[in-house]
């Protein structure tokens, strides 16, 4: 059974770069499927950030495209997210998830989330 | 972008009730619609995919229906563990995707 585990800095200063990693166990990320990031600001709704295919094709939320980079590290079986020039609006619980295609695309497995606070 | 609008934003119900949550898309998406349940402090959990297919291990009291622009999640016979927030998600242009704003189901 696939498991995903996010890791991140917890606290980031405004204007700096946020880096998050999702370690995947129980499945090789370069075999198939897509791998994505979703965030949830405190007491707010889910927002899709980015997704990357097992072959490395990246897709981004247009509203975040200019500040975000998603990447694969197949040697460590993990994928990562970088968000540049963060502001308080980037404070959120960040989830990584696996996207599978079963009839339609869906996020069928999620990490537990990692909280990121942007503050000086 | 495809916008997803859920209604109501919150609702109160009692154990044993039948409840429905609606989700409307800003354009036709066929049945590219999923439903998730999120409890406080937990990650979202997939309940329904492709509008009406029940995810493995999800109780049969959950059901989904609809197509094109209008979708419904129904819970028949609410259980205490069902009080949570429910989100719809469109994957018509997957991997690009959007979620609804959520419907919070509270105990009356």
């Amino acid at each position: 059974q696939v498991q995903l585990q996010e890791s991140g800095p917890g606290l980031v200063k405004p204007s700096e770069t946020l880096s998050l990693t999702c370690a995947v166990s129980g499945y090789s990320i370069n075999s198939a499927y897509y791998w994505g990031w979703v965030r949830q600001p405190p007491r707010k709704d889910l927002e899709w950030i980015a997704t990357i295919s097992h072959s490395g094709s990246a897709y981004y939320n247009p509203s975040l495209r200019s500040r975000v980079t998603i990447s694969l590290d197949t040697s460590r079986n993990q994928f990562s997210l970088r968000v540049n020039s963060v502001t308080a609006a980037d404070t959120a619980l960040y989830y990584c998830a696996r996207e599978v295609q079963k009839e339609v695309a869906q996020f069928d497995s999620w990490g537990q989330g990692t909280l990121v606070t942007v503050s000086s | 972008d495809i916008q997803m609008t859920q209604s109501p934003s919150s609702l109160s119900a009692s154990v044993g009730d039948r409840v429905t949550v609606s989700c409307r898309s800003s354009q036709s998406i066929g049945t590219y619609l999923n439903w998730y349940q999120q409890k406080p402090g937990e990650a979202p959990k997939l309940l329904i995919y492709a509008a009406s297919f029940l995810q493995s291990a999800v109780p049969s009291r959950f059901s989904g229906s609809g197509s094109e622009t209008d979708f419904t999640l129904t819970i028949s016979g609410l259980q205490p563990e069902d009080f949570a927030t429910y989100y719809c998600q469109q994957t018509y242009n997957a991997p690009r995707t959007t979620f609804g704003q959520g419907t919070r189901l509270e105990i009356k």
Side-chain angles (χ1 to χ4, degrees), chain A residues 24 28-30 54 71-79:
Chain A
V24 179
S28 177
I29 62 173
N30 62 357
H54 63 93
S71 59
L72 286 177
D73 184 348
T74 56
S75 65
R76 298 182 180 184
N77 210 45
Q78 62 188 32
F79 60 105

Side-chain angles (χ1 to χ4, degrees), chain B residues 45 47-48 54-63 79 81-82:
Chain B
K45 172 188 171 184
L47 295 178
I48 302 282
L54 196 65
Q55 174 70 344
S56 175
V58 173
S60 59
R61 62 181 179 272
F62 291 92
S63 63
Q79 296 300 300
E81 61 268 29
D82 299 336

Side-chain angles (χ1 to χ4, degrees), chain A residues 34 38 40 44-48 51 59-60 62 95 99 102-108 110-112, chain B residues 1 31-32 34 36 38 42-44 46 49-50 53 55 87 89 91 94-97 99-101:
Chain A
Y34 289 66
V38 175
Q40 186 170 37
K44 291 190 177 180
D45 308 319
L46 301 169
E47 179 182 37
W48 171 69
T51 295
Y59 305 84
Y60 298 97
Y95 294 103
E99 181 186 295
K102 189 168 61 174
E103 302 291 336
V104 302
Q106 64 220 232
F107 288 122
D108 75 331
W110 296 67
Q112 64 186 25
Chain B
D1 288 2
T31 56
Y32 289 83
N34 306 315
Y36 297 84
Q38 186 180 34
E42 297 184 7
L46 179 66
Y49 62 95
F53 290 79
Q55 174 70 344
Y87 292 93
Q89 176 206 22
T91 58
R96 299 171 183 85
T97 182
F99 293 90
Q101 82 277 19

